[in-house]
Amino acid sequence: MQRILIVEDEVKVANAVKKGLEENGFEVEVAYDGRVGMSLAAGSDFDLVILDLNLPHHNGYELCEVIRRRNSKVPVIMLTALGGMDDKMQAFELGADDYLVKPFDFRELLARIRVFLKRAGGEAAPDRRFRLTVADLEIDRERKEVTRGGKKIALTAKEFQLLELLALHRGKVISKAAIAEKVWNIDFDTGTNVIEVYMNFLRKKIDKDFDQKLLHTKTGMGYYLAEE
């Protein structure tokens, strides 16, 4: 499944595009401000990125520049209300591949996305489908193997699924409810501590023997995996 990042502070627009793309078979991540967008773009590989220009904290130009420095091949589509020629020229100079002005027809956006993904031949993020990396932690998704600092770490099936989920959303806080749904396929029961137990299992295996901790808790909100 090809993965797309949307960085858009207009919630209705972002959610509408996300829903439309998911209905067409894409996996979609959304950031509603430039700071979160920067974190996701820097921490994960995507097959295509959709950027607004006017964003809180970091604007679309800054994000485009960072993304392009990190990955020269991933297609970047600007989706913005700014339709001036100077805006377009600056975006293209920073590495944007396309520029779509709001309001727009979703069908046109979808067509452009498919053109760029076909042109890229699925090569924009070839490794991410099979391997996830955070600092010196590597997750082989095909072989279901995990190493840190070159040392193999044995995980149970559920431990691997939990770590994989956190790595796929690197830097993003995942709630207990989302973890319960995606890893255990159940509604979260506030009376159980199974998620805390498994997070402790992971910490002992992933972080205990290393100075740099990768697994973090956001009190009252959930857990995340990040290099801090």
Side-chain angles (χ1 to χ4, degrees), residues 3 12-13 20-21 25 27-29 33 39 63 84 92 126 154 162 168 184 190 193 195 212 219 221 226:
R3 194 160 181 257
K12 288 185 178 179
V13 173
L21 292 176
E27 181 181 345
V28 183
E29 284 286 339
D33 65 59
S39 175
L63 266 68
F92 287 129
L162 177 54
L168 282 167
W184 277 271
T190 56
N193 66 342
I195 295 174
Q212 184 181 33
T219 305
M221 301 177 70

Side-chain angles (χ1 to χ4, degrees), residues 39 62 76 83 105 107 114 118 128 143 151 195 211 213 216 224:
S39 175
E62 295 175 88
V76 176
D105 189 316
R107 293 170 296 178
R114 284 174 169 161
K118 184 177 181 180
R128 193 178 186 284
R143 297 182 179 180
K151 177 184 176 182
I195 295 174
D211 293 332
K213 309 307 179 187
H216 307 279
Y224 65 100

Side-chain angles (χ1 to χ4, degrees), residues 61 64-65 68 86-96:
Y61 295 127
C64 183
E65 191 171 14
R68 189 53 73 225
D86 289 342
D87 300 310
K88 293 180 180 180
M89 291 305 297
Q90 185 175 354
F92 287 129
E93 286 171 3
L94 290 172

Side-chain angles (χ1 to χ4, degrees), residues 8 51-54 78-83 99-103:
E8 168 63 70
L51 294 177
D52 189 10
L53 283 181
N54 286 329
M78 293 295 192
L79 187 63
T80 175
L82 301 178
Y99 198 105
L100 192 58
V101 179
K102 302 173 184 176

Side-chain angles (χ1 to χ4, degrees), residues 176-177 180-181 184 186-196:
K176 291 180 181 179
E181 178 186 350
W184 277 271
I186 58 172
D187 292 331
F188 179 59
D189 180 359
T190 56
T192 182
N193 66 342
V194 64
I195 295 174
E196 288 93 335

